[in-house]
Every structure is written in structure tokens, then in C-alpha cells.
Amino acid sequence: MADWSNFSAKINQYLCPPGNGVFTVNTAKERKESLHKSLYGNTDNIELAWSEQVSQLPLDTRPVVLGVCSDTGGGILRGANWGPLFLRQTMLSDDYDVDYFDVGDVRVIPHLLHDKYLNEATITNCRKALYHNPESSLPVSALSITEDFCDEFYHNFPDKGLFAIGGDHSVSYPLARSYLRAKKAQNKKAALIHFDAHTDLLVERLGIDICFGSWVTHILDDLPSRDMAFQFGIRSSGKDRGHWEDSFGVNQYWTHEINERGAQAIVDETIVKLKANGIEELYVSFDIDALDAHFAAATGTPEPDGLNPEQALLIISELNKHFKITGADMVEIAPFLNTNEDGGNDREKTLAAGSQISELLLKALAE
Ligand SMILES: [Mn+2]
């Protein structure tokens, strides 16, 4: 158990109680307290209640939920840092049937993205702030902390499923990368299933290589082969499907094609390709903007003419009949954004669609 005692010490340094990942005193205070009440039964000494629960992780058999409240890798309309708190609260309402172990939120310094973009003086100063120890060797940026957390998680618990809530889509870079490395070490062939309006296949954006628009590019070489990345719901792109498939080797199903051929025909074709490559397990990364803006307006880059939730649910559940889903994330839900001109209940609709899909993913992870 030496590894677990190291890891549990790290969890207490890297993470904080669920819903507390956005560093704030008063904003959304009532919502946080209500989440803590449903998780721990009271709201006094949440740190202690959470830490005691974390110590039970090795004995628990449910899928694990991690919040990554970072929107530093976004940049058009921010606000996905609030996704983990709001999505959890919606999922805990009576409308959803979910059962998971909540390990907490990454402690996010909102001005930092990845440690490789920082100088030593900044890292030392942030180690002082996060760990009260400038001599610490631990990472300080959201993506760097997430990657080390996931590496330790899969090392300690190779059979547990991890479901992460973002955050902007850059958080999937450490999540998927660590997952794919772990599967490779376990000699299991795993593929990426990616729902999104956008390809996220930039090489860099304004000189930054890891961000919401480029994370897929930088995990392709961790797949068994590049064509084991499947993208669904693409429709907002300066280049056509052929460009992306030829340049990067990925498979794309744009929304118009899914509508024309039907989601069932598309997923049947995907299953054949996955089986032909000997794939056993899947990582599902779900950007809420894969859904039509009517269902998902509370997000940084809402797009019209998208998938409806039923199409996404069908694709995931059909895939899950043939393959184990062992890792997943739900990202880019920004509950404070109202992007529809006519106002309306953007937040509730987006959270409902996100919860419905997360519920299915959590069930799949529990199998
Ligand atoms: Mn995305």
C-alpha cells in the first residue's frame, strides 16, 4: 500500500472538496453548500469530511468523478470553470440516476495552463501558495496537476473508470493522454471517441500548442494508430473533412452526414472499423458544443445545425454494446453564459443535456 499512501497524500495536496475548484469566497456559495450537503450531509468542516471520504477510495468500486475547473485553455467566451459544480448539482437531482465516487476538484490557479509555459520563479512562488513549500517538486498548473493525478490514479487503480468534468477542452489533453499511456502499459488497445462541433486539430493557436483547439493533435501519437480517433458532430471548420482526415489520419463524421445517413449507420460503420483494429476499450471525450445550440447554448462556442442529444446517446450506447468505455469526460459547459439572443433557459437546457449524456457515460464506466 506504499503507492496508495503516496497517492493519497498527493490527492490531499492536488485536490479540494467537490465544487471548490474555482477559487472564490462568495460567488455561487449557496450552490456549493447545497452540493456539500447532498454529498456529506452537512456543511461544517467540508475539508475533513472530504479527506475522510478520499481515504475510502481503494475500497470503493464505483466510477470516480474528478472536476477540472480550468478555462484557461479556452479563450473565446470563458466560463467552463463552473461546469464541475453545476453539472454535479444537476446530476444529483431526482431526474438522474447516477452513482459515483466523487474524489473532488483540481486546485486550479486560474492564470496558469501548463507548467511548461512558466518560469522557475513563478513555479516556486505558486508552490508556496498551493503547497506552502517552495521546495516542493509538485506541478502547479491545472493541466500539469491533472496529468500527474491521472498517472498516479491509473497506476494505483488500473481497473477503475475515471470520469472528468471540465473545464475547457484543453483539460482532455492530460486526461486522454494519461489514459492512453495507461492502457498501452496494460497491453489494452484503446480508441478515442470525440464529440465536438470543432476538430480541435490545430497544431498550435497563437503560438500555444496545448489549448482547447489543439489538444487532439497532441494525443494522436498515444493511440494505437492515428485512425483510432473518431470525431462526431463536426460542422464548424475552415477546412473540409478530407483535409483533416488526410493530414491527421483521423476519422470524421460531420453532423450533416450523421443526419443524412442516420446515427445507426454511422455507429455501425465505426464499430466495424474499431473491431478490425482489435480495439477493446474506449475513451469518450464529449464537448457539449457537439450538440445543437438549441440544446447547448451555455457554452463558449455554441454552433447551430448540431446533433440532438438522442443521436449522441444512440452512438454512445451502441458503441458500449461492443466495447468497454473505461474513461470519459464532459467539457465546455459554461453555466453563466447566455448565448441565445432571445435569452431563455440556456443554463438549464445545457445542464440537462450534459447530465443525460454524463449519466449514460457513468453507467458505462460502472460496468
Ligand atoms: Mn472541443
Side-chain angles (χ1 to χ4, degrees), residues 169 194 196 200 212 215 287:
H169 218 156
H194 171 206
D196 210 311
D200 295 359
F212 72 151
W215 69 275
D287 186 327

Side-chain angles (χ1 to χ4, degrees), residues 187-248:
N187 280 316
K188 286 182 181 149
K189 285 188 96 178
L192 171 70
I193 303 297
H194 171 206
F195 288 85
D196 210 311
H198 315 91
T199 67
D200 295 359
L201 281 169
L202 295 174
V203 175
E204 56 172 49
R205 190 171 186 264
L206 295 169
I208 300 299
D209 59 348
I210 308 299
C211 72
F212 72 151
S214 62
W215 69 275
V216 174
T217 306
H218 302 286
I219 61 142
L220 288 177
D221 289 331
D222 293 301
L223 289 162
S225 56
R226 288 175 156 231
D227 60 341
M228 288 300 98
F230 292 80
Q231 303 186 306
F232 300 89
I234 308 293
R235 61 195 180 279
S236 175
S237 165
K239 306 244 168 63
D240 65 9
R241 172 180 170 174
H243 165 81
W244 300 111
E245 293 191 336
D246 294 346
S247 315
F248 291 90

Side-chain angles (χ1 to χ4, degrees), residues 34-49:
S34 126
L35 176 69
H36 294 153
K37 208 169 180 138
S38 38
L39 289 173
Y40 305 116
N42 67 69
T43 51
D44 346 304
N45 210 341
I46 286 308
E47 290 279 340
L48 184 66

Side-chain angles (χ1 to χ4, degrees), residues 131-143:
Y131 310 124
H132 311 291
N133 177 12
E135 312 291 313
S136 162
S137 59
L138 301 180
V140 295
S141 307
L143 302 193

